[in-house]
Amino acid sequence: MSGGLRYRACRLRVQTQKGEYGTEVEFREGLNVVWADNSMGKSTLMNALLFGLGLEGMITAKHIVPFAHVMTDRLDTGDGEVAVVASEVLLEIENGRGDVVTTKRTVVGDDDHRLVRVYDGALLTAGARPGQSRSLYARMAHSARREAGMQHFLAQFIGWRIPEVATFRGDPAPLYLETIFPLLFVEQKHGWGAIAGSFPTRFGIRDTAQRAFEFLMALDSTALQARRAELEMQLRELASEWKGSALALSAALASGGGQLTGVPGAPEHPWPPVVGPVVRFPHKGELVPLPLAIEQLEAELTELESGPVATAGQARAEALAELGRLQEQLVARERALGTAVRHHAAAESSVLSVERQLKEVVRGLARADDARKLERLAHERDLRTSSGACPTCGQAVTESLMVVDLAQFEALSLDDEVKGLNDRKKMLEFLLQAARADLGEADQEMAAMREEDAALRRRIRVLKAESLDVDAAPSASRVQRRVELVRQLGQARECRRQFDEVSNVLERLAGQHATLSGELKRIPSDTLSEQDRAKLAQIEARFIDGCRAFGLSSLDPAELEISRTSFQPEHEGFDLQFDLSASDTIRANWAYKLALLDVANRATTNHAGALVFDEPRQQSASKTSFSALIRRSEVVCRTGGQVIIATSEAWDNLAPTLEETLCHLVKFEGRVVTRR
Amino acid sequence: MAEPVERPSIDAEVEFSDRGISVPIEYRPVWMLGAMSVLLWKCSHGAKSSVERLEVLDWAVASTRNTDLLLGHLRAGDSEVAMRLSVRGTVRRAVAVLVGEGLAERQGGTRVALTSEGKKWAKDVWEALSPRDLLRVNAERIQKSFTEGAMTSLRRIR
């Protein structure tokens, strides 16, 4: 085990109008049994362990304290009820390095319940005086990533390096502690429903149970998954840099009159491709490849510079012919510019329209997301509407309250509605990309045309002036042509310089992209290392042993397996849950969790070494099985670890087993929370 | 003509399937249950209201413009702000469902009030709504400023 967590003590303090109530419990290494009769506050104590760790989000998505009224509202003293004025939980924990801290968290009182004060030292068992404390926050955004977050602190305290894992949203997220603890803490209400545990899904982590198992048992696939998430992130960053560079180049070229084509939206390898990107440059009224434009401009300039400058008289006839030609050209170009302006306006309006629609769909999706939350709330509250029934007459109701009669049509379910909205969003994003490309082209086209028009007008002005010049004067049109050539050549060379510069960047990005993509492809998606297989074989053997010891009878335990892909128990390739009776599901849950702890004692894992079972005798698992659980837990703890079992099993049944077992017993004769 | 700098291409598989009618979220029973309870809890004195007033509130929270109009009307008095209300028939149905679920009860005539269970539900709904949701943002702007008295003056204008 590389990580470590031990519960050392827990104190509940409840201040009422009639004085202080509470309880304090110490836990030891090995097996701990907490006994109290039903409804005496045992689960309050167990939930306090989670609350003290700031992990109650494992059992509830709501931002409320997970306690019964005894800690929050009123307390039954036996003589009547008294109002709770203030209450808090103190939890003393130790890690694998022997560091001890005590956490203190308010349930009711002046402090916000999301605030956790963490004191160094054993405030409960050694009576250390509270010294310097850290104030951390729990159940708030970023609690897992930031130093001031309780999750961040707890992970460091236990010695866990929390991996980043893939989410349904596409971006990686930390493997939140609430998704790991279901394998370490079986809570009474939610923990017994599934063999591996009930894993919160609200974090959007893909295959949550699988990721939690891989991490806890330190399977090599965890590191691979982490590397995969890291690579995917780096690839996204590279793609974004690529796109940024291409756009910047395109804009820079456009300002100089050039036009870029052939740069894809995402990195491609090999780069440059056989048919690489091309820059076109306006020359003599048309767009020609940049190297050709430079070559022709240079040749023309050389020719002009090679001889003496002609006089206006020598150049007049040629100038007048050119003037006529250019004036005709200008009229045609003005018409073309009008068309280009209209095209640009249409492209702009198209982008705006798609952006508006996309905004609506995104808003619709957010609302649908809220609606789904309301649907879940309605399910939790058992509202009949949530199951499609009329709350008054019980008849089926449609998915709509619209006045129009939908009875003859089938309305889309909320999930399908969301799917439809997502499809629409994708389509609009696609259209937006196309519309923006159109607009980009229109921009470039207009910029190029304006640039050429300006040059044309300059030339016409000069030619007109020259027609009125005296014959002996130097030809202004030839001089202007030379100046114009120098300017165009300067622009063309600048375009070439920028293109070469960005080409190098693109080449580097394409190379990096190819390397990272290659590595990503080589990461096996489901392959386990030899050590992983050995670990899983050990877990499987101990799981089968445990099931046998606990009297699992729905199936022959020897036929059970631990899946090499989902890491959950299965039978003949099917999820075990469907083949077991309710009480056997409980037995399998005991066996699974104990098997993990047992293997963690012998192999390198991230298991915290502590396991909590709150009321494990669910679904009337037999007396014999329960005794076997106590005995087996004790045996597992002999090699290390801590198991806490909270139970209200009939004392007469429990006592004989406890007599034969080495365990630390915490027995409450009456209520757990009593007068102090 | 310039060539495109970057043009997306479709590589998705085309899939044909029967689909039902798309129903806007605002017409779905669960949403309306939530919306009505929020309007009663957040925008109504004593968590009670006439159904007519709920109709107006439902219209008002549907868009920022509608909220502006209602608040403008409340500030300016009777008829200085032109308002055209479109009333959806869904509110009455939603109120009936709310009563059927035991989250609200009728109080004679057309008045309706949240039960204690309804108030808890409204609080849960409020917390579940994203902070930028229009219902939440606009209900927060209106608060309890639109009273039954103001509703009566609206009725007079009509």
Side-chain angles (χ1 to χ4, degrees), chain A residues 568-583:
Chain A
Q568 308 246 349
E570 61 179 27
H571 178 245
E572 293 175 349
F574 286 91
D575 188 350
L576 191 53
Q577 194 108 20
F578 300 111
D579 292 329
L580 295 185
S581 65
S583 62

Side-chain angles (χ1 to χ4, degrees), chain A residues 459-673:
Chain A
R459 183 76 183 153
I460 288 174
R461 271 198 302 276
V462 171
L463 290 171
K464 275 183 178 169
E466 191 171 75
S467 67
L468 301 173
D469 260 354
V470 290
D471 287 354
S475 167
S477 69
R478 298 283 170 92
V479 174
Q480 192 260 352
R481 179 66 192 148
R482 191 187 290 187
V483 171
E484 184 69 13
L485 279 174
V486 170
R487 191 187 65 79
Q488 282 185 6
L489 198 55
Q491 276 185 342
R493 284 177 177 152
E494 176 59 17
C495 282
R496 186 170 60 186
R497 189 191 62 76
Q498 283 172 337
F499 178 70
D500 289 346
E501 199 175 292
V502 176
S503 290
N504 291 337
V505 174
L506 294 182
E507 196 168 345
R508 173 178 61 81
L509 294 176
Q512 287 175 345
H513 196 271
T515 312
L516 296 178
S517 302
E519 190 183 343
L520 186 64
K521 269 187 199 144
R522 284 193 298 278
I523 292 182
S525 55
D526 56 0
T527 310
L528 298 165
S529 68
E530 279 310 305
Q531 288 98 314
D532 288 350
R533 289 186 188 283
K535 245 181 236 175
L536 287 167
Q538 286 184 41
I539 294 169
E540 187 173 274
R542 280 166 179 76
F543 171 68
I544 291 171
D545 267 1
C547 288
R548 207 173 271 134
F550 301 144
L552 183 137
S553 59
S554 303
L555 296 164
D556 177 0
E559 292 174 359
L560 303 181
E561 289 170 324
I562 298 292
S563 160
R564 270 32 176 189
T565 50
S566 72
F567 312 125
Q568 308 246 349
E570 61 179 27
H571 178 245
E572 293 175 349
F574 286 91
D575 188 350
L576 191 53
Q577 194 108 20
F578 300 111
D579 292 329
L580 295 185
S581 65
S583 62
D584 274 348
T585 301
I586 304 299
R587 291 185 184 95
N589 194 328
W590 302 343
Y592 188 64
K593 305 286 159 56
L594 278 174
L596 299 188
L597 178 59
D598 203 1
V599 171
N601 282 335
R602 296 152 206 279
T604 308
T605 69
N606 287 317
H607 201 290
L611 182 58
V612 178
F613 287 137
D614 185 10
E615 203 59 275
R617 193 174 162 198
Q618 302 265 323
Q619 302 289 345
S620 308
S622 72
K623 189 173 76 180
T624 332
S625 314
F626 189 67
S627 299
L629 169 68
I630 301 269
R631 279 195 290 272
R632 194 169 174 86
S633 300
E634 193 255 322
V635 171
V636 169
C637 286
R638 280 182 204 161
T639 36
Q642 179 186 47
V643 175
I644 299 174
I645 296 177
T647 178
S648 51
E649 174 72 8
W651 180 251
D652 291 345
N653 294 337
L654 187 63
T657 311
L658 294 183
E659 274 173 26
E660 307 165 354
T661 316
L662 186 64
C663 78
H664 170 61
L665 174 66
V666 180
K667 187 179 177 193
F668 292 96
E669 294 293 352
R671 292 180 191 284
V672 170
V673 174

Side-chain angles (χ1 to χ4, degrees), chain A residues 70 133 225 248 305 344 398 417 625:
Chain A
V70 62
S133 74
Q225 287 295 341
E305 283 174 342
H344 186 270
T398 64
E417 190 77 53
S625 314

Side-chain angles (χ1 to χ4, degrees), chain A residues 319-522:
Chain A
L320 284 174
E322 190 185 353
L323 180 63
R325 208 173 55 245
L326 292 187
Q327 276 173 331
E328 272 172 33
Q329 239 184 53
L330 185 64
V331 173
R333 293 198 66 81
E334 273 174 353
R335 270 202 302 274
L337 184 62
T339 311
V341 168
R342 279 195 296 280
H343 177 207
H344 186 270
E348 203 166 40
S349 129
S350 176
V351 167
L352 286 175
S353 157
V354 179
E355 276 176 346
R356 207 167 32 238
Q357 289 179 61
L358 188 59
K359 202 169 147 193
E360 278 304 310
V361 170
V362 169
R363 200 155 66 183
L365 269 171
R367 180 155 272 203
D369 198 37
D370 282 0
R372 286 215 273 208
K373 285 188 217 155
L374 299 197
E375 204 171 52
R376 277 199 293 276
L377 280 177
H379 271 299
E380 279 173 23
R381 217 169 262 272
D382 277 339
L383 296 186
R384 299 191 71 178
T385 319
S386 68
S387 51
C390 167
T392 309
C393 66
Q395 290 185 57
V397 292
T398 64
E399 287 264 7
S400 159
L401 286 173
M402 273 194 274
V403 180
V404 290
D405 184 15
L406 278 177
Q408 52 183 314
F409 304 106
E410 195 189 337
L412 280 182
S413 71
L414 191 51
D415 282 345
D416 286 342
E417 190 77 53
V418 172
K419 189 173 173 293
L421 281 169
N422 270 319
D423 288 347
R424 191 163 157 66
K425 181 169 167 253
K426 266 189 218 154
M427 187 194 72
L428 285 169
E429 281 168 347
F430 175 81
L431 285 179
L432 186 59
Q433 203 184 337
R436 281 185 177 149
D438 256 354
L439 184 59
E441 278 172 31
D443 269 339
Q444 286 187 359
E445 189 187 356
M446 268 178 47
M449 286 182 89
R450 289 205 161 113
E451 179 74 19
E452 281 177 57
D453 278 8
L456 202 58
R457 283 174 200 282
R458 277 196 301 273
R459 183 76 183 153
I460 288 174
R461 271 198 302 276
V462 171
L463 290 171
K464 275 183 178 169
E466 191 171 75
S467 67
L468 301 173
D469 260 354
V470 290
D471 287 354
S475 167
S477 69
R478 298 283 170 92
V479 174
Q480 192 260 352
R481 179 66 192 148
R482 191 187 290 187
V483 171
E484 184 69 13
L485 279 174
V486 170
R487 191 187 65 79
Q488 282 185 6
L489 198 55
Q491 276 185 342
R493 284 177 177 152
E494 176 59 17
C495 282
R496 186 170 60 186
R497 189 191 62 76
Q498 283 172 337
F499 178 70
D500 289 346
E501 199 175 292
V502 176
S503 290
N504 291 337
V505 174
L506 294 182
E507 196 168 345
R508 173 178 61 81
L509 294 176
Q512 287 175 345
H513 196 271
T515 312
L516 296 178
S517 302
E519 190 183 343
L520 186 64
K521 269 187 199 144
R522 284 193 298 278

Side-chain angles (χ1 to χ4, degrees), chain A residues 259 261 263 265 280 367 370 373 381 384-385 399-402 409-410 412 417 430 433 437-438 441 444, chain B residues 2-4 6-7 10 20-23 26-29 31 90 93 97 101 117 124 128 130 133 135:
Chain A
Q259 202 175 77
T261 57
V263 178
R280 293 178 201 280
R367 180 155 272 203
D370 282 0
K373 285 188 217 155
R381 217 169 262 272
R384 299 191 71 178
T385 319
E399 287 264 7
S400 159
L401 286 173
M402 273 194 274
F409 304 106
E410 195 189 337
L412 280 182
E417 190 77 53
F430 175 81
Q433 203 184 337
D438 256 354
E441 278 172 31
Q444 286 187 359
Chain B
E3 282 182 41
E6 178 195 330
R7 186 169 290 285
I10 298 177
I21 291 180
S22 169
V23 176
E26 292 77 10
Y27 285 93
R28 291 178 180 268
W31 179 267
T90 47
R93 293 176 174 210
V97 177
E101 293 283 11
E117 193 57 26
D124 285 346
S130 32
D133 183 83
L135 168 60

